[in-house]
């Protein structure tokens, strides 16, 4: 049995990978053999693997696909060194090109205003409309995740101090500011909420008085977006993205935005530094002493 066959059997029998995944590994290893001119896999060295990577890059292969193939090759050689007596792993130390991170879809301040300042959709229930406005204002005001929003209890929001205690990932809590528009919307919702749910701690409840589900929030927001004539699907996380981008554009304080979003690493927050060129050019023209034209 060939080394590749041994490895594929290991993947299927011992690691219990799906047939589809095992077939993908087989294709990646066959591709390595093709890219290296049929040279025995046991004889490949680092230069051969580098050459294979160069050939893949010349084919305009996506960085994610290239990374997957290199991972397949590395896994094979790790197995072969442990089980089949291969002398070394020629893939060690080689890294694929970094895949470009997909930028989040951002709503402009004007679009957010159209969404939140427009007339509330006709639902036949003023309480639900007031609840929806309070939820969406809070998402945009404080940059909450959807799970954080539906997890809020009445005691978590203080209308007098203008802040909220949020429980994020890993059950970590943080205090976030709540803007005036969101505070006003919450003040309008709370008296109406009493008629729906007197015996639950949830801040946002359904028509039946139960804590609102994430799916319900998604559907209600999409309805608001259609009512506002935005012409695009809007999901709750887009309001979180909008919050982060708009605050960062105004303040430039990446660390503060990281704290408010509850990101463990600032590298996660850095995705929001993709300020549009016009904004950057305007700041440059206003701030740099040698950028201004002499009158």
């Amino acid at each position: 049995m060939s080394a590749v066959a041994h490895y594929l059997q290991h993947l299927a029998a011992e690691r219990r990978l799906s047939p589809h995944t095992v077939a993908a590994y087989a294709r990646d290893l066959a591709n390595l053999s093709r890219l290296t001119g049929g040279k025995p896999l046991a004889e490949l060295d680092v230069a051969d693997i580098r050459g294979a990577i160069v050939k893949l890059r010349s084919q305009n292969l996506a960085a994610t696909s290239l990374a997957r193939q290199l991972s397949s090759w590395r896994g094979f050689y790790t197995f072969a060194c442990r089980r089949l007596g291969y002398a070394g792993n020629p893939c060690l130390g080689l890294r694929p090109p970094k895949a470009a991170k997909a930028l989040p879809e951002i709503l402009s301040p004007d679009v957010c205003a159209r969404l939140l300042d427009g007339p509330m959709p006709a639902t036949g229930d003023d309480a639900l409309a007031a609840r929806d406005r309070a939820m969406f204002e809070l998402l945009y005001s404080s940059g909450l995740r959807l799970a954080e929003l539906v997890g809020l209890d009445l005691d978590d929001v203080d209308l007098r101090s203008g802040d909220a205690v949020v429980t994020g990932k890993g059950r970590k809590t943080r205090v976030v500011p709540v803007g005036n528009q969101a505070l006003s919307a919450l003040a309008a919702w709370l008296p109406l909420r009493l008629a729906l749910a007197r015996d639950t701690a949830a801040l946002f409840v359904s028509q039946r008085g139960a804590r609102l589900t994430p799916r319900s929030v998604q559907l209600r927001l999409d309805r608001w977006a259609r009512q506002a004539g935005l012409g695009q699907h809007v999901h709750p996380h887009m309001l979180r993205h909008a919050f982060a981008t708009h605050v960062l554009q105004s303040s430039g304080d990446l660390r503060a935005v990281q704290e408010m979003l509850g990101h463990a690493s600032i590298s996660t927050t850095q995705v929001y530094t993709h300020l549009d060129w016009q904004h950057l050019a305007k700041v440059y023209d206003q701030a740099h002493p040698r950028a201004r034209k002499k009158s």
Side-chain angles (χ1 to χ4, degrees), residues 259-281:
E259 297 255 340
M260 288 187 281
L261 289 174
H263 284 160
S265 170
I266 200 167
S267 63
T268 308
T269 317
Q270 286 174 336
V271 70
Y272 297 109
T273 59
H274 67 293
L275 307 181
D276 63 273
W277 172 251
Q278 289 184 345
H279 177 80
L280 286 172

Side-chain angles (χ1 to χ4, degrees), residues 89-101:
N89 189 336
C91 298
L92 291 180
L94 297 180
R95 294 183 179 182
K98 288 185 177 181
K101 290 185 177 181

Side-chain angles (χ1 to χ4, degrees), residues 118-131:
M120 293 188 288
T123 62
D125 192 321
D126 292 340
L128 298 186
R131 178 204 65 192

Side-chain angles (χ1 to χ4, degrees), residues 68 77 100 120 125 161 166 180 195 223 231 242 252 267-268 286 289:
R68 190 206 71 244
Y77 278 105
M120 293 188 288
D125 192 321
S161 63
V166 178
N180 288 332
R223 182 175 183 178
S267 63
T268 308
Q286 293 175 346

Side-chain angles (χ1 to χ4, degrees), residues 7 25 29 32 49 53 67-81 89-96:
Y7 180 55
Y25 276 96
L29 291 170
L32 174 60
I49 302 298
I53 293 174
R68 190 206 71 244
Q69 293 207 37
L70 180 57
S71 177
S72 295
W73 304 344
R74 185 184 294 113
F76 164 75
Y77 278 105
T78 298
F79 171 83
C81 289
N89 189 336
C91 298
L92 291 180
L94 297 180
R95 294 183 179 182

Side-chain angles (χ1 to χ4, degrees), residues 103-229:
L103 295 177
E105 191 174 357
I106 300 299
L107 301 174
S108 70
D110 288 342
V111 169
C112 289
R114 285 176 56 194
L115 176 68
L116 299 173
D117 294 341
M120 293 188 288
T123 62
D125 192 321
D126 292 340
L128 298 186
R131 178 204 65 192
D132 292 350
R133 186 183 291 281
M135 291 192 304
F136 306 149
E137 286 281 5
L138 190 55
L139 283 171
Y140 180 47
S141 165
S142 304
L144 304 186
R145 300 180 178 95
L146 177 55
E148 294 169 348
L149 178 83
V150 298
L152 285 173
D153 289 337
L154 278 172
D155 295 340
D156 291 333
V157 178
D158 191 329
L159 298 185
R160 289 175 297 177
S161 63
D163 56 39
V165 179
V166 178
T167 302
K169 292 183 177 180
R171 304 300 297 172
K172 293 181 180 179
T173 60
R174 68 184 188 278
V175 178
V176 297
V178 181
N180 288 332
Q181 295 283 357
L183 290 173
S184 298
L186 286 166
W189 155 242
L190 289 177
L192 300 173
R193 176 201 168 279
L194 289 174
L196 294 176
R198 296 180 181 272
D199 300 326
T200 180
L203 176 60
F204 296 113
V205 296
S206 68
Q207 196 169 16
R208 297 181 179 180
R211 185 181 295 272
L212 209 59
T213 65
R215 183 57 179 161
S216 295
V217 179
Q218 293 170 335
L219 293 173
R220 300 291 289 193
L221 179 56
D222 190 50
R223 182 175 183 178
W224 272 65
R226 285 187 278 109
Q227 175 78 16

